[in-house]
Amino acid sequence: MAALILSLAALSGLQRVLRAEVLARTPHLEVVLPAEADWPSQRQRLEAHPEVVRAQTVLEGLGWLVSERGLVHPVAVTGFEGTVPAAFPGAAGEPEGLYVDHLLRASWDLEVGDFLEVVSPRPTLSPFGGPQPRLRSLALAGVFEKPRTQEDRSRIAVPLGLAESLFGRA
């Protein structure tokens, strides 16, 4: 009986930790707007609501991260406006820039200030050479803690303007 009680207590503690971890990284409400929407006015409307604490514009896409040494890693890119979103603990509230998780930083031996390229799968069409890759070079601004929960791919945070230049608004 004591073993059952101890097992249930441990499981309850684990559930509490995981729930707190997931809720800390998840917005309470996520509004998805079509590409042609007027983002600034929609954001102002949301911020005017008395129960809204904070609203932040983000743009998500998939791409690759390339190091100066030629290392390539697939990533989920989150473009953000203003400060780093709460979904990136350890960097939340920091100013705009490129942020990678601590495991990628360690495996690539990266330092703040190292330049990395973020590459989009959406090419730019050129009349002279056909499709050209969309890539932007950016200095590493900081590192965030990768969550304890399982994620399919690495995530990076970049300024919203950079994400828009890579993926557009759609």
Side-chain angles (χ1 to χ4, degrees), residues 29-166:
L29 176 66
E30 187 171 316
V31 178
V32 179
L33 299 174
E36 64 275 0
D38 181 14
W39 294 8
S41 67
Q42 295 299 326
R43 182 175 168 184
Q44 286 177 348
R45 283 184 55 204
L46 287 171
E47 288 174 330
H49 193 282
E51 293 185 33
V52 172
V53 176
R54 181 170 187 239
Q56 185 172 27
T57 303
V58 295
L59 176 65
E60 296 179 338
L62 300 175
W64 297 275
L65 193 63
V66 182
S67 76
E68 291 176 319
R69 298 184 318 227
L71 301 171
V72 180
H73 192 71
V75 290
V77 180
T78 300
F80 63 93
E81 181 179 51
T83 59
V84 179
F88 297 90
E94 294 292 322
E96 287 189 342
L98 170 63
Y99 293 85
V100 301
D101 68 62
H102 69 287
L103 297 176
L104 183 60
R105 187 211 61 79
S107 67
W108 281 13
D109 194 28
L110 296 171
E111 298 294 330
V112 170
D114 287 352
F115 279 86
L116 300 165
E117 288 183 337
V118 182
V119 183
S120 170
R122 295 178 59 181
T124 300
L125 297 177
S126 166
F128 303 109
Q132 301 294 316
R134 288 186 193 187
L135 56 97
R136 302 294 183 266
S137 184
L138 197 61
L140 181 62
V143 178
F144 66 92
E145 293 294 318
K146 188 165 183 157
R148 289 180 235 166
T149 56
Q150 182 66 34
E151 289 187 340
D152 292 341
R153 67 177 70 234
S154 293
R155 297 179 327 142
I156 63 171
V158 300
L160 182 63
L162 185 128
E164 285 178 336
S165 71
L166 289 170

